Each structure stands twice: as structure tokens, then as C-alpha cells.
């Protein structure tokens, strides 16, 4: 009976507990699992204790850990680094014209005007016909002309006028146009010297827009006006017209010099050119006697006459002769 | 309208806006790139400074026209926007967003150069820049709406 009762009771109990024994423990464990998962998620979630422990004391807010935030921060950091590098390069290099080679000496203040340098009533006029790509023109302009300027031009004895004889290639024409455009802003002479100081191989791409802009920037030209001028066909036509005029004068190579209208045929070195200028000075009337004298290029560059120096020295010449092959 | 369909329409609208701005930028930048590569003079209107800007040293970077870089960015944005529109893969949104952000910074620098260094404004560059910036703004909206996992 007891057993039976017990057994029945037990059996009943088992039967009664049976649904509980199968459901309640399962429900409890599931709930526990959920609680534990939630706790783990809370601990391990961004900003949670575990996340903070893993990342150290400082934890980024969730907004800064999204891919977009990381992309934005990355781009801005790279841009900031790039900006710093550019600014540092400009500071070290001086400006965007860092790669530019400066002429050997600056143009004396107040002496350059239009495409000439020197007093208009100077007793001796030197007309020089050059091509910006001609290496002998570079030698002449860089090494000889500065001495002529310091020796004769600043003394009021000589006025030099530049003429285009652009025949080597399109870069010659482009450079001549650029120099004239700089001249429109009163900087022809300085620009011309910069072009020669930065001369490269003939038709090798040196005289390009970037170089023109660099020089213009260095000389503080108005870039907008300058660049508009570069595309003005009238300027290029003027260069070509002057080149044609040079051909009519009998010029066959560069540089070709005319001293008081007489073509200089001596060696292209400083002693010989100086001697020719000295001879012209001796032959020329005093400035007071010829106040109206001008350095107009076409008027003074008369073909046919020759200004061979009278006291040629044995100093080495830049070029043996001025011939087309020289340029 | 169900929420799902509404989201799909919203995605379509954002994608269409981004693709449209990218296309506009592609047209302007493509024209500038062709003109630069052929040494031609771009047709200018409203403001007259296209030649000056195109002739500037700043119109090329590492020997390549700047417009080509912009064109590449616009094409890539356009393609990824189409990809996002078709697949809904939010990771594809990061591409136009990133390119747009880079474009924004580059455009800021170029506008500075136009105003204070070159002293000329190129209308085609302005159209392209405005399109890229507007496209980026739309991509910001898209990223905020669809760019995070739900």
C-alpha cells in the first residue's frame, strides 16, 4: 500500500513532474544562456568593459569606429600630410618656382624698357638677333652681355635691343611669344634672361607652359593677362614678322649683332665685342650732339656694313663664327 | 507601400542622383581632358578663363591632365553607384563617398589656384567640381541611410 501509494504517488509525481522536468529546466537554461549572452555582449560590446580593457583606458565612441568615419579620418589625415609636405616644399624651395635657374645677375633697375636696355640716347646701339633655343645665344646672353651691361649700359654709353630670329623650332616661337607677353607687363628683359638661364636641348620640350608660368610667377606677372597673351595669334605673328625682317637683313644664324647699324663679324667673345663697342664710341658723336638718337631696332640694323673689331684679343671665343650652324 | 519597397525606391532615387552628377562630371571632365590632350582651346561661356586655366602648369599633375584624374574618379563613382543600386551592397557606397571626399579637397585647392594664383575661372572645371561635390553630398545621405549594417 505504502509502496503502492508511494509508487503511485511517485508515479504520479513523476507524471506530474514530467512536463516540468522536461520544460522547466530547458526554459531556465535558455534564459540563463540569454542572460549570459546579453552580459557577454554588454561586456564585449563597443564601449563595454571588456572592449575598454582591450583598447586601453581611452575608448572611441561608436560613431568614430564606423567605416565611413575611418575613411573620412584617413582621407583628411592624408590630405593634411600632403598639404604640410607641399607647404614645406614651398618654404624650403622658396615657392613653386624652386626648380627655376636664376640669371647670373639681376637687370639693373630703371634701365630696361620695352625690349631694350640702356638710355635711348646712348651713343652706341647694339641690336642683337637671337633665338631662345640657340646655345650660343645662351652663352652670349649669360656670359658676355652682363659685362656689356655693367661696363657700357650703366654708363649710358650703350643701348641694347633684342630682336627675335626664331628659326630653330616651335619652342623658339613659343619662348619669343612668352618674352613679348612679359614685355607687355614691363618685364621683357628679365624674362628673356630667365629663358636663356633655363635653356634646354633644342626642341626638347624645355620651353613649355609650365616653365613660362614659373618664370612669370617668379617675376610677379599677372598670370591671367600673361596666359591670355600667350594665346594671342597677333603676338606670334609679330615674332614671325621680325624673323622675316631679320632674313631680309641677311641674317643667317644667331646670335647676330649689329653695332650702330653695322653687322659685327668678329669673334663672339667679350674682348672683341668690347673693342667693337669702343671703336663705335670713338666714332660716334657725343650724346649732346645727337639727343634724338633712339634705339629703334629696324632703323639701326642696316645690312651690308661690318663692324669688325679693331683690337681683337686672343681670348677664347664662345663660338668660332656666327653661322647658321652655330645655332 | 511596404517599407521594403519604399527603401528600394529611396535607394533608386539616391543612386539616380549620384549617377546623374557623376555623368555630368564625366561630360565636363571628358571634354576638358580631350581639349588638353589635343592642345585645343575649350569653348568658354559665362566666364572667359578656360584657356588660361587649361594652359596653366596646374592643369597637369605628374604629366597627366588633372581632368583625367577627375574623369577616372567620376567613372569609378558612376560604376560603383550602379553596382550599389543593383546589389544593395552597402560597401560599394564607400567608394563614391571616398572619391567624393578626395574630390572635394582637390577641388578646394584648384579653386584656390584659380582665384588667387591663375586669376581665371574655367567654367567647365566649375561644372565638373560642382557635380562632384553634389554627388558627394548625395553619397553622404546614402551612407547615412544605407551605409551601416542594420
Amino acid at each position: 500500500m505504502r509502496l503502492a501509494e508511494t509508487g503511485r504517488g511517485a508515479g504520479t509525481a513523476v507524471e506530474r513532474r514530467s512536463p516540468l522536468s522536461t520544460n522547466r529546466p530547458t526554459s531556465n537554461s535558455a534564459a540563463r544562456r540569454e542572460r549570459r549572452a546579453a552580459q557577454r555582449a554588454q561586456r564585449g560590446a563597443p564601449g563595454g568593459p571588456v572592449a575598454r580593457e582591450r583598447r586601453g583606458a581611452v575608448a572611441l565612441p561608436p560613431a568614430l569606429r564606423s567605416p565611413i568615419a575611418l575613411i573620412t579620418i584617413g582621407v583628411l589625415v592624408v590630405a593634411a600630410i600632403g598639404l604640410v609636405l607641399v607647404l614645406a616644399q614651398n618654404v624650403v624651395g622658396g615657392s613653386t618656382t624652386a626648380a627655376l635657374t636664376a640669371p647670373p645677375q639681376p637687370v639693373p633697375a630703371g634701365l630696361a624698357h620695352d625690349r631694350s636696355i640702356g638710355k635711348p640716347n646712348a651713343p652706341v646701339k647694339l641690336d642683337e638677333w637671337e633665338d631662345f633655343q640657340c646655345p650660343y645665344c645662351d652663352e652670349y646672353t649669360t656670359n658676355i652681355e652682363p659685362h656689356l651691361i655693367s661696363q657700357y649700359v650703366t654708363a649710358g654709353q650703350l643701348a641694347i635691343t633684342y630682336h627675335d630670329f626664331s628659326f630653330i623650332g616651335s619652342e623658339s616661337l613659343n619662348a619669343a611669344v612668352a618674352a613679348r607677353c612679359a614685355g607687355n607687363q614691363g618685364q621683357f628683359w628679365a624674362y628673356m634672361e630667365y629663358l636663356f638661364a633655363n635653356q634646354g636641348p633644342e626642341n626638347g620640350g624645355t620651353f613649355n607652359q609650365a616653365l613660362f608660368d614659373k618664370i612669370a610667377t617668379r617675376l610677379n606677372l599677372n598670370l591671367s593677362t600673361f596666359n591670355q597673351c600667350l594665346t594671342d595669334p597677333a603676338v606670334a605673328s609679330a615674332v614671325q614678322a621680325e624673323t622675316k625682317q631679320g632674313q631680309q637683313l641677311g641674317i643667317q644664324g644667331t646670335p647676330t649683332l649689329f653695332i650702330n647699324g653695322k653687322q659685327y663679324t668678329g669673334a663672339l667673345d667679350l674682348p672683341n665685342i668690347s673693342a667693337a663697342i669702343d671703336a663705335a664710341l670713338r666714332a660716334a658723336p657725343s650724346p649732346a650732339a645727337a639727343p634724338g638718337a633712339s634705339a629703334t631696332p629696324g632703323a639701326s640694323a642696316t645690312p651690308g656694313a661690318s663692324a669688325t673689331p679693331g683690337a681683337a684679343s686672343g681670348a677664347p671665343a664662345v663660338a668660332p663664327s656666327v653661322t647658321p650652324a652655330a645655332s | 507601400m511596404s517599407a521594403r519597397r519604399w527603401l528600394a525606391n529611396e535607394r533608386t532615387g539616391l543612386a539616380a542622383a549620384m549617377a546623374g552628377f557623376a555623368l555630368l562630371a564625366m561630360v565636363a571632365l571628358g571634354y576638358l581632358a580631350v581639349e588638353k590632350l589635343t592642345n585645343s582651346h575649350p569653348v568658354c561661356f559665362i566666364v572667359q578663363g578656360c584657356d588660361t586655366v587649361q594652359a596653366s602648369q596646374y592643369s597637369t599633375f605628374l604629366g597627366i591632365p588633372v581632368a583625367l584624374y577627375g574623369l577616372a574618379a567620376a567613372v569609378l563613382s558612376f560604376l560603383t553607384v550602379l553596382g550599389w543600386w543593383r546589389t544593395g551592397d552597402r560597401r560599394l557606397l564607400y567608394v563614391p563617398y571616398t572619391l567624393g571626399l578626395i574630390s572635394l579637397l582637390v577641388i578646394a585647392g584648384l579653386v584656390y589656384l584659380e582665384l588667387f594664383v591663375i586669376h581665371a575661372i574655367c567654367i567647365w572645371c566649375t561644372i565638373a567640381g560642382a557635380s562632384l561635390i553634389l554627388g558627394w553630398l548625395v553619397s553622404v545621405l546614402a551612407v547615412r541611410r544605407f551605409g551601416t549594417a542594420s
Side-chain angles (χ1 to χ4, degrees):
Chain A
M1 182 66 183
R2 180 183 287 256
L3 282 176
E5 285 176 5
T6 308
R8 195 176 60 190
T12 307
V14 169
E15 279 180 18
R16 280 195 210 121
R17 267 202 315 245
S18 175
L20 297 176
S21 64
T22 54
N23 291 336
R24 189 182 290 167
T26 304
S27 176
N28 287 343
S29 62
R32 275 198 300 274
R33 275 199 301 273
E34 287 173 5
R35 278 199 303 274
R36 284 170 187 163
Q39 287 169 354
R40 275 199 302 271
Q42 191 180 3
R43 284 199 305 270
V50 171
R52 280 199 295 270
E53 286 168 11
R54 283 177 190 156
R55 288 173 172 80
V58 180
L60 290 171
L64 290 180
R65 285 199 296 275
S66 70
I68 285 300
L70 294 176
I71 288 170
T72 306
I73 292 170
V75 169
L76 292 177
V77 166
V78 170
I81 292 171
L83 185 63
V84 168
L85 288 176
V86 169
L87 292 176
Q89 188 181 7
N90 283 349
V91 168
V92 172
S95 68
T96 53
T97 58
L100 214 54
T101 302
Q105 68 179 39
V107 180
L111 284 176
H113 49 91
D114 197 15
R115 289 191 290 150
S116 300
I117 187 167
K119 293 180 179 176
N121 61 349
V124 178
K125 311 289 188 297
L126 171 61
D127 293 283
E128 55 189 28
W129 294 73
E130 300 188 66
D131 184 306
F132 284 107
Q133 291 199 90
C134 155
Y136 293 114
C137 298
D138 176 32
E139 288 288 324
Y140 163 76
T141 306
T142 305
N143 297 325
I144 297 175
E145 194 174 72
H147 296 285
L148 300 180
I149 291 173
S150 60
Q151 189 176 348
Y152 297 104
V153 173
T154 54
Q157 297 175 314
L158 178 69
I160 305 174
T161 299
Y162 183 95
H163 301 272
D164 287 313
F165 194 76
S166 304
F167 70 103
I168 294 179
S170 61
E171 286 186 44
S172 305
L173 175 64
N174 294 340
V177 167
R180 284 175 182 245
C181 290
N184 289 346
Q185 298 185 46
Q187 294 273 27
F188 173 86
W189 208 266
Y191 201 97
M192 178 266 287
E193 291 190 342
Y194 261 101
L195 283 173
F196 279 119
N198 291 277
Q199 191 189 67
E202 292 177 8
N203 298 314
T206 303
F207 286 147
N208 54 32
Q209 182 71 43
L211 179 68
F212 298 156
D213 279 354
K214 277 184 182 177
I215 299 174
T217 305
R218 174 68 63 90
L219 295 176
N220 294 320
L221 301 183
N222 182 315
L223 266 187
S224 176
T225 308
F226 176 76
N227 282 315
Q228 281 174 4
C229 173
L230 290 186
T231 58
D232 185 354
V235 183
S237 296
V239 173
Q240 290 166 330
E242 190 165 53
T243 301
K244 195 172 180 180
Q245 182 191 355
Q247 290 167 341
Q248 290 167 350
L249 288 173
I251 295 172
Q252 295 181 322
T254 52
T256 294
L257 308 179
F258 287 89
I259 297 174
N260 275 351
K262 296 178 181 177
Q263 186 170 355
Y264 172 79
T265 56
L268 201 66
D269 58 16
L270 181 60
N272 281 293
I273 295 173
S274 295
I277 292 172
D278 288 336
L281 274 172
R282 284 193 296 272
S286 63
S294 71
T296 307
S300 58
T302 309
S306 176
T308 308
S313 76
V318 170
S321 63
V322 185
T323 64
S327 44
Chain B
M1 181 185 292
S2 70
R4 195 171 177 178
R5 180 174 291 181
W6 186 85
L7 283 176
N9 285 343
E10 190 182 7
R11 192 173 78 201
T12 300
L14 290 169
M18 281 191 283
F21 286 127
L23 267 177
L24 189 57
M26 283 160 60
V27 170
L29 290 166
Y31 176 68
L32 284 174
V34 167
E35 293 295 297
K36 181 71 180 176
L37 291 172
T38 57
N39 283 326
S40 305
H41 301 286
V43 176
C44 244
F45 55 96
I46 302 176
V47 288
Q48 299 298 320
C50 302
D51 268 340
T52 306
V53 174
Q54 278 281 77
S56 159
Q57 59 170 308
Y58 305 107
S59 63
T60 56
F61 181 68
L62 300 176
I64 299 172
V66 171
L68 269 186
Y69 292 103
L71 181 62
V75 168
L76 195 53
S77 290
F78 180 78
L79 293 178
T80 49
V81 164
L82 287 188
W84 171 67
W85 174 63
R86 283 180 63 87
T87 66
D89 186 346
R90 61 189 170 84
R91 290 171 300 182
L92 289 174
L93 271 182
Y94 300 155
V95 177
Y97 175 84
T98 307
L99 291 173
L101 185 61
I102 294 170
S103 300
L104 178 71
L105 298 172
V106 171
I107 289 164
L110 292 176
V111 167
Y112 168 80
L113 289 172
E114 282 187 314
L115 292 177
F116 301 108
V117 178
I118 306 171
H119 302 291
I121 296 289
C122 163
I123 190 68
W124 292 101
C125 313
T126 307
I127 291 171
S131 302
L132 290 172
I133 290 173
L134 289 172
W136 177 72
L137 289 175
V138 177
S139 78
V140 171
L141 293 177
V143 161
R144 286 174 64 89
R145 186 70 186 83
F146 297 96
T148 53
S150 56

